[in-house]
Amino acid sequence: MCAHVLVAEDDEMQAELIRRSLLSEGHTATVVHDGSAALDAARRLRPDLVVLDLMLPVIDGFGVCRVLRRDDDIPVLMLTARSAEDDVLLGLELGADDYMTKPYSPRELMARIRTVLRRSGRAAGRREDPVVRAAGIAVDPERHEVRCDGAAVECTPAEFEILLAMVAEPERVFSRRQLLECTRGTDRASTERAVDVHIMNLRRKTEADPRSPARLLTVFGVGYKLSGGRG
């Protein structure tokens, strides 16, 4: 069961952990960090499920859930550090399909997501293909394989994690710190400057001219992005 999941979480590290867990399950993910952006993304992208933090800026999770339930039937799984019974009941009364309190196990969260998707049937009939593709690059998180324009590419574990993140969200600009977080499970001794080396090596492996890249672009003063769109 592959689904498109919208993650609305203002904590960037938590959001990245959820995003990577979703990708490892074969899902695709879009991440936003405030309630207004969550509503905009839900209307534009019509995801199969929303993972919704209650303590969002601009519009809180309760407000987002209220609007989603008024306008659509997208399943909602709420996340919060607030475990008071009144909060749980209000979230469920607003129409949340499930509710988890922090801290939580990523494995349990993925299991809950599978249950909500199965119950809702939103992802029924989707092709179960874990491979993510963009800009002529295909990354298979299950087989740990990368192909660029159809040719196999050998990547280190850290390079693989960085490329997986960027291919999953083409045109998104990642800071060095965000890309560094992608490598934490593979290279804990790495630094933000090491990200530049990983990008340089990936350009050597995926670009026709690494000195004038067409895919892995530098966004000066911010970080890097993968340009080229899906497919």
Side-chain angles (χ1 to χ4, degrees):
M1 181 183 295
C2 298
H4 180 197
V5 180
L6 173 62
V7 179
E9 166 64 77
D10 65 333
D11 184 312
E12 291 190 9
M13 291 184 65
Q14 287 288 328
E16 179 62 18
L17 177 61
I18 297 170
R19 189 189 67 82
R20 292 176 65 189
S21 297
L22 287 165
L23 293 180
S24 71
E25 292 274 317
H27 303 302
T28 58
T30 298
V31 176
V32 296
H33 301 297
D34 68 68
S36 178
L39 289 173
D40 177 66
R43 289 163 179 151
R44 286 187 299 105
L45 303 175
R46 297 190 59 80
D48 297 302
L49 181 141
V50 179
V51 175
L52 180 64
D53 181 39
L54 284 186
M55 304 302 289
L56 291 174
V58 186
I59 303 173
D60 67 16
F62 291 125
V64 172
C65 190
R66 186 177 291 109
V67 174
L68 288 177
R69 279 294 163 267
R70 185 188 67 204
D71 296 344
D72 207 334
D73 61 349
I74 299 172
V76 174
L77 191 158
M78 282 187 166
L79 298 176
T80 184
R82 296 161 56 174
S83 58
E85 184 180 19
D86 287 348
D87 289 338
V88 175
L89 292 175
L90 178 56
L92 295 175
E93 286 172 2
L94 287 172
D97 296 84
D98 203 351
Y99 194 110
M100 289 187 68
T101 57
K102 302 176 183 179
Y104 53 82
S105 159
R107 290 181 62 186
E108 182 184 359
L109 175 59
M110 292 304 108
R112 297 279 195 97
I113 286 173
R114 286 194 296 271
T115 298
V116 173
L117 286 171
R118 185 167 56 247
R119 201 163 56 214
S120 70
R122 294 278 296 208
R126 294 202 175 204
R127 182 167 59 95
E128 296 190 14
D129 183 2
V131 180
V132 290
R133 299 176 176 85
I137 299 172
V139 183
D140 187 335
E142 291 186 358
R143 294 182 174 85
H144 213 271
E145 293 176 350
V146 175
R147 289 189 172 273
C148 181
D149 296 329
V153 176
E154 294 295 327
C155 292
T156 67
E159 290 167 4
F160 183 89
E161 294 297 338
I162 288 173
L163 198 57
L164 175 60
M166 299 181 80
V167 171
E169 295 186 71
E171 305 299 339
R172 173 185 170 184
V173 179
F174 290 85
S175 68
R176 288 179 176 84
R177 182 171 65 84
Q178 289 170 329
L179 292 175
L180 179 62
E181 287 300 324
C182 294
T183 73
R184 285 305 190 193
T186 60
D187 187 3
R188 292 189 176 277
S190 191
T191 65
E192 288 190 18
R193 296 302 300 172
V195 170
D196 296 336
V197 177
H198 294 318
I199 292 292
M200 179 182 67
N201 288 335
L202 286 169
R203 283 173 173 165
R204 180 171 52 81
K205 298 173 180 180
T206 63
E207 299 281 1
D209 181 359
R211 293 171 297 179
S212 182
R215 289 183 171 108
L216 292 168
L217 306 183
T218 300
V219 180
F220 292 100
V222 184
Y224 299 100
K225 73 173 183 177
L226 178 71
S227 184
R230 296 230 174 250

